[in-house]
Amino acid sequence: MRTAAATGNMVGVQRTTDTDGRRARRGRRGARDAAAGRGRASAADAPPRIGAAVARFMLGSLVAIAVIVVGGYFALRQVAIDEAERDTRERVEAAGRVVEAAGLTDGVLRGDRRALQRLDELVLGQVLTGSIVRVKLWTQDGTILYSDEPALIGRRFQLGEEERELFTDGGADAELSDLSQPENRYERAEDKLLEAHTTIRTPDGTQVLFEIYQRFSSVSASGERLLRAFAPPLLAGLLVLLLFQLPLAWSLARRLQRGHREREQLLSTAIEASAQERSRIAADLHDGVVQDLAGVAFGLAPLAAEARARGDEGDAAVLGDATARLRQGVRDLRTLLVEIHPPNLDSAGLEAALSDLLSPLASAGVATSLEISDAAAQTDGDSAALVYRVAREAVRNAAAHAAPGSVRIELTRPVAGSVRLLIADDGRGFAHATRERGAADGHLGLTLLDGLVAQAGGSLEVRSHEGGGTQVELELPA
């Protein structure tokens, strides 16, 4: 492990061996987190696959079709129930007219055996056919005058409000039977029944309530017949619509994939253009202003010496002060050049480049430390360039915004094939919303690097809170 520590303007370099068990455990944990982060970044930033996008569209469409079919079934079933109730009302009125005209006598009111037998023959022969399973004849006080179930004759039960209203309003009514009611005890063997009522009159004008019970299975059968009739054209229309939309979905998926690639290219181009512009500015400064100032300082130094030799201390002091200021300006400009344009990492190496990043902070009185493991120091190529860019951006942000007392850089290889960079400062920190506002205002340093790190298969995490410093952690395959 190479460790460089700087406090104020003093920098020392020494070799140590990393035997800290806690650091090793933290490295292994960081590697696991990095692997998970790379998986999430790759999944989130990978270009959408056309086949997968179209498959999701087809699956969503099939789910929508299934919802329409199920909803259509219940809607048609309700329509069938409504139609069955209407038909049952019409049927009970028709059957009631038949009974009133051909089988109902005043003797039924008195319980006359012959009158009941005549009515029973009519009901069994003309009413209890098909889906009708029960017939009852009620008085207004709830007494059953007649039923095809003899055990009910003469029994008295409470009529419902709808049935009582028929005696005053007339007409017919139909509803699902409540088989738990005591008057329906003999119908409980049936699964589900639809009952209908209407009023008829005996020859002497007495109103009685005529009631029939119809199997509900016939209503369900009607709904299924409607569904079988309407489902094929409905499904065919939906499938034709789906087939027409399939080329459109394919085209939209391709455009989305192309847009994703264009966004990545724009991001890379923006980073590359920034690097080229920094290089141009650094070259102009180095070959222009820096050389001129260095030349002027070099020329003033002999003049200051001559003035001091003549005993002209005033001129010597002015010239010496100007020379010192010029040399300091040259040093500051060269530091700025390092910040604007990174050094040649292949020739200088990461250790020297990262040390140069910390030098301005050390000169300003900030305590700095740099720890680089031997394996991590060998990182080169694109990984080294990305490590340097992240470190430069983090150090620059700390110097410009955090007012830190100390800044620490660690570069390690927690596991083979992975490099980990940590930049930590004890500055003022910031809230997450502050970074979002900065990105919205055009401060995109680390935000732009997020995309490059994701493309490289790594992860970049910024942890900070107000008054608690900032940590920038980079994990890269290397």
Side-chain angles (χ1 to χ4, degrees):
M1 174 78 76
R2 293 187 180 91
T3 303
T7 304
N9 294 321
M10 298 180 62
V11 178
V13 179
Q14 60 179 350
R15 289 185 175 273
T16 63
T17 302
D18 183 8
T19 58
D20 192 336
R22 287 177 297 175
R23 178 172 297 169
R25 290 192 295 273
R26 188 172 65 245
R28 290 192 293 270
R29 185 171 62 251
R32 291 194 297 269
D33 296 342
R38 287 196 297 271
R40 290 191 297 271
S42 300
D45 294 330
R49 292 180 297 173
I50 295 178
V54 174
R56 287 194 298 269
F57 169 78
M58 293 292 293
L59 179 61
S61 299
L62 291 175
V63 170
I65 290 176
V67 170
I68 292 174
V69 170
V70 174
Y73 168 77
F74 285 105
L76 289 175
R77 184 172 179 272
Q78 186 59 46
V79 170
I81 293 174
D82 294 341
E83 287 296 313
E85 290 180 351
R86 183 178 63 81
D87 291 343
T88 304
R89 286 194 297 269
E90 294 177 355
R91 190 168 185 177
V92 74
E93 288 178 340
R97 287 193 294 269
V98 171
V99 170
E100 185 179 43
L104 187 60
T105 63
D106 292 331
V108 173
L109 298 175
R110 300 188 300 271
D112 183 73
R113 184 183 300 273
R114 295 181 61 185
L116 291 174
Q117 184 177 359
R118 178 184 176 185
L119 179 59
D120 190 58
E121 292 174 353
L122 177 65
V123 168
L124 294 177
Q126 300 187 34
V127 180
L128 285 179
T129 59
S131 60
I132 296 179
V133 298
R134 181 74 69 231
V135 172
K136 297 177 184 176
L137 195 67
W138 300 73
T139 63
Q140 194 166 354
D141 64 359
T143 301
I144 297 179
L145 296 174
Y146 166 79
S147 174
D148 61 288
E149 172 54 56
L152 290 173
I153 297 177
R155 300 283 304 274
R156 184 175 178 179
F157 303 97
Q158 180 70 32
L159 287 177
E161 183 179 351
E162 294 83 359
E163 289 86 348
R164 292 195 300 270
E165 288 178 353
L166 292 176
F167 284 98
T168 57
D169 301 338
D173 181 51
E175 61 184 358
L176 287 174
S177 299
D178 183 2
L179 298 182
S180 64
Q181 295 297 324
E183 66 269 20
N184 296 328
R185 58 179 299 187
Y186 294 103
E187 290 81 56
R188 291 171 187 168
E190 301 290 340
D191 182 33
K192 216 172 188 181
L193 295 175
L194 188 66
E195 63 183 51
H197 324 80
T198 189
T199 55
I200 58 177
R201 294 180 182 272
T202 62
D204 67 358
T206 302
Q207 274 189 317
V208 292
L209 186 69
F210 180 68
E211 181 180 39
I212 63 173
Y213 290 75
Q214 182 180 0
R215 288 191 180 93
F216 191 78
S217 59
S218 63
V219 177
S220 300
S222 299
E224 292 174 359
R225 286 195 299 272
L226 285 172
L227 184 62
R228 286 194 296 269
F230 284 102
L234 178 62
L235 288 176
L238 290 173
L239 289 176
V240 169
L241 177 63
L242 182 61
L243 291 176
F244 273 114
Q245 288 181 331
L246 186 58
L248 177 62
W250 189 274
S251 174
L252 290 176
R254 291 185 61 183
R255 291 176 61 182
L256 181 62
Q257 190 179 56
R258 186 167 58 249
H260 191 279
R261 286 197 300 266
E262 291 175 353
R263 181 179 67 85
E264 289 185 343
Q265 291 173 358
L266 287 174
L267 178 61
S268 298
T269 301
I271 296 296
E272 185 62 29
S274 174
Q276 292 178 359
E277 185 64 16
R278 288 172 182 268
S279 176
R280 186 189 65 80
I281 294 173
D284 291 344
L285 286 175
H286 182 271
D287 296 337
V289 176
V290 173
Q291 298 298 330
D292 293 341
L293 291 179
V296 172
F298 184 77
L300 289 179
L303 296 178
E306 291 178 2
R308 191 172 293 104
R310 294 194 308 266
D312 192 349
E313 294 298 331
D315 290 345
V318 171
L319 291 171
D321 182 63
T323 301
R325 288 179 179 273
L326 285 171
R327 288 173 176 169
Q328 182 60 45
V330 169
R331 285 194 293 270
D332 291 343
L333 283 173
R334 284 175 176 166
T335 299
L336 180 60
L337 289 179
V338 172
E339 294 181 359
I340 291 177
H341 185 58
N344 188 332
L345 296 177
D346 292 334
S347 60
L350 266 177
E351 183 177 358
L354 295 177
S355 179
D356 288 342
L357 284 178
L358 293 175
S359 294
L361 290 175
S363 299
V366 177
T368 63
S369 67
L370 173 61
E371 298 179 10
I372 304 179
S373 67
D374 292 334
Q378 305 305 317
T379 303
D380 55 11
D382 293 338
S383 297
L386 195 50
V387 166
Y388 180 82
R389 283 182 175 180
V390 172
R392 181 183 62 189
E393 190 65 33
V395 170
R396 180 184 298 155
N397 288 341
H401 308 294
S406 65
V407 175
R408 173 170 52 93
I409 296 180
E410 291 182 7
L411 186 64
T412 59
R413 281 184 181 266
V415 293
S418 175
V419 62
R420 173 178 175 267
L421 172 70
L422 176 66
I423 306 99
D425 68 69
D426 60 354
R428 62 173 61 100
F430 58 87
H432 180 68
T434 304
R435 186 184 179 194
E436 291 182 342
R437 286 196 301 270
D441 293 338
H443 303 292
L444 302 173
L446 289 175
T447 303
L448 286 175
L449 291 173
D450 279 335
L452 291 179
V453 172
Q455 289 181 35
S459 65
L460 179 63
E461 184 179 1
V462 179
R463 298 185 294 270
S464 182
H465 60 274
E466 293 184 359
T470 302
Q471 289 186 345
V472 178
E473 185 173 1
L474 170 70
E475 296 275 358
L476 277 179

